[in-house]
Amino acid sequence: MIRIQDIADRVGVSRTTVSNVLHGNTKKVSQETIQKISEILNEEGYVPDKTPGIFAGRASKIIGLVMGFEAVHGIHVLQDSFVGEFLAGIEEEAERNGYYIMLINGADLGKTAQIASRWNVDGLIILGFTDRKYYDLRRILNKHMVLVDTYPQGDYDFVNVGIDDYSGGRQIGKYLLECGHSGALFLAETTVDSDYFRWLGFKKGMESRGGFCSKARYFVIPGNTEKRLRYYEKMLPDFLKAGALAFSSDATAVEAMNFLLDRGIGVPEQISVAGFDDSLYARISRPRLTTVHQDVKEKAQLSVSLLLKLIRRLPIEKLDHKNPVRLVCRESVKCT
């Protein structure tokens, strides 16, 4: 079993600092130090001495941020600009309220519960869980929780923070139609949750002038980057015929735009491209990406605010929070 002195030596801090973190006295300890100590404890499977009263009646002032997935768009989840922006917003709002953030991998619910209990976190913000996975965690862990971007099936009793995906899809579909792209295609990585609701909105927008948008225009692209590029190569004739592509994320939209430009295909002269999220990708790409903007910082702040209400046993007015979105028109879509 690793000793407190061993941890202190590896992190480069005193035994007292490690002990303070173990006991929840983290007010004067930096977030970076807490994270380093946490990682070592997780690696070594350290279980603190269960001395009676060590955590009793004492708030740890730690909020666990549980990542419900390890990869997105074929890259590690923490490399994604949306996740990075969301994490920054969570950390900023938590610190403003005197809390620290601890990242927790949500792949193994047993380990998730063990870490949350070991560190006596005051509550959890959970990104990307299904409602079923949430209830599985709830059965083994009694902590306050706020879910983010969960799409429940039927009735539910948890607090959820998301966006109006349907409205965003409708806005982009209607805009492409008005720009003369009546045959635009919708490309997503799944057929469920946010992708599906964005498709439903896109379909509605494309039908806003009385036409019909068949589900045959809903394409599921591979999650693996190399496979996705091969898929684009295969679908290139269909893309050229359609003249416009709407993606369920900015990351895949910019990737596809680069694919087209590398092959000498003009964007938007030959193919218009649109995304979703208004992430860093959209703002620095050339041409700049037409997309649907969601306020990631506001989503993060609301998540922390709602969790603190639960922790403080204050009333929650509603369970499901859907933040509004808006269309941002840039240079990647050509209007005829």
Side-chain angles (χ1 to χ4, degrees):
M1 177 70 71
I2 192 169
R3 302 173 305 162
I4 288 180
Q5 185 62 58
D6 298 329
I7 299 171
D9 292 341
R10 286 174 61 176
V11 178
V13 296
S14 67
R15 284 174 52 91
T16 301
T17 298
V18 176
S19 179
N20 283 339
V21 172
L22 284 171
H23 294 173
N25 300 324
T26 57
K27 190 174 183 179
K28 296 183 179 180
V29 184
S30 72
Q31 177 66 37
E32 182 182 4
T33 298
I34 293 174
Q35 191 66 39
K36 287 180 179 179
I37 294 173
S38 174
E39 289 173 357
I40 294 173
L41 294 176
N42 294 340
E43 290 172 5
E44 300 293 337
Y46 180 87
V47 178
D49 180 11
K50 304 276 187 196
T51 304
I54 198 170
F55 289 130
R58 178 183 298 167
S60 67
K61 308 299 284 186
I62 298 173
I63 292 173
L65 177 58
V66 179
M67 309 303 295
F69 40 85
E70 295 180 330
V72 59
H73 316 310
I75 59 176
H76 190 279
V77 63
L78 293 180
Q79 292 178 289
D80 181 64
S81 68
F82 164 80
V83 175
E85 190 174 350
F86 181 75
L87 176 57
I90 291 286
E91 196 279 330
E92 180 181 329
E93 185 66 11
E95 184 176 356
R96 193 176 69 82
N97 284 276
Y99 282 78
Y100 293 98
I101 293 298
M102 175 182 290
L103 289 179
I104 303 175
N105 188 323
D108 185 323
L109 294 185
K111 289 183 179 178
T112 301
Q114 182 185 45
I115 293 169
S117 295
R118 177 191 300 158
W119 285 90
N120 190 38
V121 300
D122 292 342
L124 300 173
I125 294 173
I126 302 175
L127 179 63
F129 264 27
T130 62
D131 51 351
R132 181 176 179 178
K133 193 170 183 179
Y134 159 75
Y135 286 118
D136 287 343
L137 179 61
R138 179 94 262 178
R139 280 192 287 270
I140 59 176
L141 181 65
N142 183 27
K143 294 285 183 182
H144 299 293
M145 304 182 197
V146 167
L147 278 66
V148 179
D149 291 338
T150 294
Y151 297 84
Q153 304 296 318
D155 296 334
Y156 62 97
D157 59 0
F158 52 80
V159 178
N160 183 49
V161 177
I163 60 170
D164 193 342
D165 295 285
Y166 179 86
S167 173
R170 181 184 56 77
Q171 290 178 54
I172 201 70
K174 186 172 183 291
Y175 178 68
L176 289 176
L177 179 66
E178 291 172 346
C179 284
H181 302 295
S182 58
L185 307 179
F186 185 84
L187 295 95
E189 293 175 74
T190 72
T191 58
V192 298
D193 299 340
S194 63
D195 283 358
Y196 183 65
F197 286 103
R198 292 171 189 183
W199 151 253
L200 290 179
F202 173 85
K203 174 178 168 65
K204 185 69 172 178
M206 293 299 297
E207 294 174 345
S208 59
R209 292 185 175 178
F212 177 67
C213 181
S214 166
K215 196 170 183 178
R217 288 159 63 180
Y218 185 3
F219 291 84
V220 179
I221 58 180
N224 176 273
T225 303
E226 292 183 4
K227 290 181 179 179
R228 203 160 51 240
L229 293 176
R230 289 198 295 269
Y231 180 84
Y232 295 153
E233 195 76 60
K234 175 184 174 183
M235 294 296 297
L236 191 52
D238 297 276
F239 293 170
L240 286 165
K241 182 179 178 181
L245 309 174
F247 288 81
S248 63
S249 75
D250 289 341
T252 50
V254 172
E255 176 187 72
M257 197 158 59
N258 289 337
F259 167 86
L260 295 170
L261 293 170
D262 286 344
R263 282 151 184 79
I265 298 170
V267 178
E269 293 79 13
Q270 291 173 270
I271 300 179
S272 290
V273 178
F276 204 111
D277 288 330
D278 197 19
S279 67
L280 177 64
Y281 301 124
R283 299 190 291 272
I284 66 174
S285 67
R286 286 293 182 270
R288 292 187 305 157
L289 185 67
T290 292
T291 186
V292 175
H293 174 83
Q294 66 161 307
D295 193 327
V296 180
K297 185 174 182 178
E298 181 183 30
K299 177 187 280 187
Q301 290 173 335
L302 179 58
S303 301
V304 174
S305 174
L306 290 169
L307 182 60
L308 293 181
K309 282 188 174 183
L310 293 175
I311 292 170
R312 295 162 182 168
R313 304 190 183 279
L314 299 175
I316 301 290
E317 295 178 0
K318 62 178 181 178
L319 296 178
D320 192 24
H321 297 258
K322 282 188 170 61
N323 290 345
V325 296
R326 59 180 172 83
L327 180 67
V328 179
C329 300
R330 297 195 178 105
E331 297 86 27
S332 66
V333 172
K334 179 181 178 180
C335 286
T336 58

